[in-house]
Amino acid sequence: MRNRIFWLICITILLFIGINIFLLFKFEKEVTLTKSVSDIKNVATSKMQTLHKTDGVVAPANEVKIFNNPSLGTLDKISAQEGQEVSAGEVLLSYSNIDYEASRTHLEGLIDQSEEEVELLEDAITELRGLKTTIETFSASDDEMKEEIEQTQDEKAARVDVEIADKNHQIQVVETKIDGYETQLDAIEEHENQLEITSPVNGIVKEISQTKDGPVITIYETPFVVRGQLKEEETPTVLEGQMAYFTTDVYGAKKFDGLVANVAQLPADKPEISQKSKYPFTITFEETSKKLQAGFHVDIAIVTAENENALTIPKKAILTEGKKKYLFVINTDGKVEKRKISIGLKENAKIEVTKGVKVGELVITSDLDQLSTGNAIVKQIEIKNLSKDVVSKLRKRKIARLITEGFLQN
Amino acid sequence: MNFRFELVKGLFKPSIKAYQLQHSERLKGIIPNILILVLINFIIALLSSYFGFGSESLTTKIYQLTTTEFASYHFWLGVGIITGSIIKPLLFLFTLALIFMVFYPEIPFKKLLALQVYILLIGIIEKVLLFLLQFFIGLTPTTSPFSLGVIGQILFENSFLVFLMAAISLFLIWKIVFSVIIVRQITEQTKAYIFSSVIGAHLFIVLVDAAIKSLEVYKFI
């Protein structure tokens, strides 16, 4: 008898509990469950950047090779040394050309000769002028023959004039010849100037090597750049004009600023099915206080996307269900709402939310799988947020209220 | 003979304890037992306030308060809960014993108090189970599967009625049944008298409790 009663009681109890549980599931909407969460953060705005990390090396912008040009003559002098910094236009190789020298000497000789000729002619003219003066100042002593003598003197003077004119004419001819020689001389000097090979760029002489055809000067063009390579799949995101930062082990944590100057359209090697294509890119940078030498290996971060005022939340606030992403937002009535969101940029532990929340809204960042819309939320006490002054600064009345509220609970 | 408390054994074999209670002159160890129960209540309350159970009203203010303000409000709420966890059991203990004294003046107060210790134990068991439910599932005392609270929430909007329904639980029935068994052994009164007095006493407590909760008395401060 007692056994029967005992079992009857057990079954009734279980039935009671069972009905309650059934009702809890059926009337989910009317019944509010309370969930305790430990971590709540608010939606903030901050600058977000998507960084593409890769590595690279400091290299010259260009490698320029200067070759010997024997057609210019014989190599006179190599004015550069390995390791030397050179600027565009600076002379590297100078030549001397015997032909030109011979021509020049010859012409200079001709000019000297001609100038002497001119001098002689001018001396002659001076003499003739003197003669003329003598003729013109001659006065006859004998009056009977005066007219005859004066006529003869005039004829003599006239003849002198003709000679002077002739001499002047000759001077002109010689001077024209001199002009001609000087023009030729200028031409030769111009050619002689071309008997120099200058550096086409600013840079550093890397190497001067001797080959059978003469010296070859290799110049690393400055300023240096950073060279790297992108994988195929990275090419749509890394674009010319993007900002980049890089660091090198040589200078530890110091960050250098740069700009993506060029992304190659063509891969470094011939496209092959069997191997992955790599696309070279260059990053230019401003002159830096610390010297970045060719060959330094660097770690690069390229800013492929940026948003100055992105709405951000911690990564752990997001619940992913298949393709959809959700946030658990606390409403002003203390209950949680599961909201669908769209995300944007990602950076370390922060993610940008492009749709679904507003600045300042509070989202839950822990125990997300326990929550569903409509749950009342309670927060675990965070000891670290307690500060002695705030705790005691609350108005006495408020404190009394809170204590009473707590006291009267279950 | 001496009455030894043996809480757990007594709980499941009330008739034996009833007999012992009836025939003993001295009650050994009443205070330590009370203290242990209050201690357990205290620990549960400590854990509850750590997890924020019972601070739902505070969450509604989360957008108006700064982090430190929120934390201090939480703190003082916790102080209230923890103080309550010590004072309330003692209050119930003595109040119920006093009420019973009104109905059963022939029973020595000490014995009535002893009865209430077991009733308190039943209450503590309920508290522990509710804490675990809240911790793992999120059910609150008003949505406990052990009481009529779920039905109450579905049927009624009125908070007093909901609290009332939530208080009518399996554990309350257990308390009543236990009390009846014990009292029946000790006293000469009729079954009807015993039933109505026991049920009445507990109902009175439940009503007052529900009234205080639904009136949100603290708001009047």
Side-chain angles (χ1 to χ4, degrees), chain A residues 264-312:
Chain A
Q265 296 279 344
L266 305 168
D269 304 314
K270 203 169 109 184
E272 294 280 355
I273 296 180
S274 54
Q275 66 183 26
K276 294 213 167 221
S277 304
K278 296 259 167 103
Y279 295 83
F281 65 86
T282 45
I283 293 177
T284 54
F285 51 90
E286 301 276 322
E287 246 189 77
T288 54
S289 50
K290 301 249 189 236
K291 189 152 177 199
L292 289 164
Q293 291 176 275
F296 280 0
H297 285 84
V298 294
D299 293 311
I300 309 170
I302 303 175
V303 181
T304 51
E306 198 174 45
N307 187 341
E308 286 284 330
N309 287 311
L311 285 181
T312 57

Side-chain angles (χ1 to χ4, degrees), chain A residues 25 28 31-40 328 330 334-337 364 366-380, chain B residues 48 50-56 59 62 70 74 133-140 143:
Chain A
F25 277 105
E28 249 183 276
V31 170
T32 311
L33 294 181
T34 303
K35 300 287 164 73
S36 170
V37 295
S38 51
D39 216 4
I40 301 175
F328 288 94
I330 299 183
K335 300 214 174 115
V336 78
E337 184 194 333
I364 300 176
S366 62
D367 319 296
L368 298 181
D369 44 1
Q370 316 260 1
L371 304 169
S372 47
T373 303
N375 291 158
I377 297 296
V378 288
K379 183 143 188 278
Q380 283 179 28
Chain B
S48 277
Y50 174 74
F51 288 110
F53 296 152
S55 71
E56 285 90 339
T59 317
I62 201 165
F70 189 85
H74 205 169
L133 277 176
Q134 180 144 31
F135 184 77
F136 289 109
I137 306 174
L139 293 168
T140 55
T143 51

Side-chain angles (χ1 to χ4, degrees), chain A residues 325-360:
Chain A
K325 298 204 188 290
Y326 299 93
L327 280 183
F328 288 94
V329 183
I330 299 183
N331 290 330
T332 44
D333 59 1
K335 300 214 174 115
V336 78
E337 184 194 333
K338 185 175 177 181
R339 258 196 237 165
K340 187 149 157 244
I341 53 159
S342 318
I343 57 169
L345 302 176
K346 296 178 205 178
E347 193 183 317
N348 298 333
K350 280 195 300 190
I351 292 191
E352 180 192 6
V353 180
T354 49
K355 251 201 308 194
V357 284
K358 293 187 284 234
V359 175

Side-chain angles (χ1 to χ4, degrees), chain B:
Chain B
M1 65 189 284
N2 288 336
F3 179 81
R4 319 249 331 273
F5 262 90
E6 287 155 348
L7 282 175
V8 182
K9 212 160 82 165
L11 201 59
F12 293 103
K13 299 245 194 278
S15 22
I16 298 178
K17 276 296 168 211
Y19 182 81
Q20 287 180 342
L21 198 59
Q22 185 189 24
H23 294 284
S24 50
E25 300 97 31
R26 282 179 41 193
L27 281 79
K28 282 186 77 168
I30 190 166
I31 294 181
N33 280 291
I34 294 178
L35 286 176
I36 290 173
L37 292 177
V38 170
L39 184 69
I40 297 174
N41 206 25
F42 173 77
I43 292 170
I44 297 289
L46 210 61
L47 289 170
S48 277
S49 45
Y50 174 74
F51 288 110
F53 296 152
S55 71
E56 285 90 339
S57 60
L58 197 54
T59 317
T60 58
K61 301 209 186 83
I62 201 165
Y63 283 103
Q64 285 111 2
L65 302 173
T66 66
T67 327
T68 39
E69 273 178 345
F70 189 85
S72 27
Y73 274 43
H74 205 169
F75 173 78
W76 288 114
L77 198 67
V79 166
I81 294 175
I82 293 170
T83 346
S85 74
I86 300 173
I87 295 177
K88 278 203 294 196
L90 297 173
L91 204 65
F92 284 135
L93 200 71
F94 282 92
T95 312
L96 275 167
L98 284 169
I99 296 175
F100 272 65
M101 215 170 77
V102 167
F103 288 109
Y104 302 97
E106 69 273 17
I107 305 181
F109 183 73
K110 254 207 180 141
K111 291 194 183 173
L112 290 169
L113 204 60
L115 166 63
Q116 294 312 324
V117 173
Y118 288 94
I119 305 304
L120 181 61
L121 175 61
I122 297 174
I124 300 288
I125 294 173
E126 183 175 20
K127 277 251 176 64
V128 171
L129 286 170
L130 285 176
F131 173 79
L132 291 170
L133 277 176
Q134 180 144 31
F135 184 77
F136 289 109
I137 306 174
L139 293 168
T140 55
T142 35
T143 51
S144 155
F146 300 117
S147 72
L148 297 175
V150 183
I151 300 175
Q153 269 205 13
I154 296 168
L155 291 177
F156 304 119
E157 284 287 317
N158 185 316
S159 59
F160 172 74
L161 290 172
V162 173
F163 282 125
L164 194 59
M165 296 290 272
I168 301 172
S169 69
L170 293 171
F171 292 95
L172 182 68
I173 295 174
W174 188 0
K175 285 178 189 173
I176 292 172
V177 167
F178 190 92
S179 304
V180 166
I181 294 175
I182 301 280
V183 169
R184 200 148 62 116
Q185 181 74 24
I186 304 180
T187 189
E188 302 288 319
Q189 305 280 11
T190 59
K191 249 196 200 170
Y193 185 81
I194 296 172
F195 263 106
S196 35
S197 56
V198 169
I199 293 176
H202 282 277
L203 218 57
F204 171 72
I205 298 286
V206 158
L207 281 165
V208 171
D209 193 49
I212 293 177
K213 283 208 201 106
S214 62
L215 285 173
E216 292 178 334
V217 175
Y218 56 87
K219 289 216 171 125
F220 294 117
I221 297 184

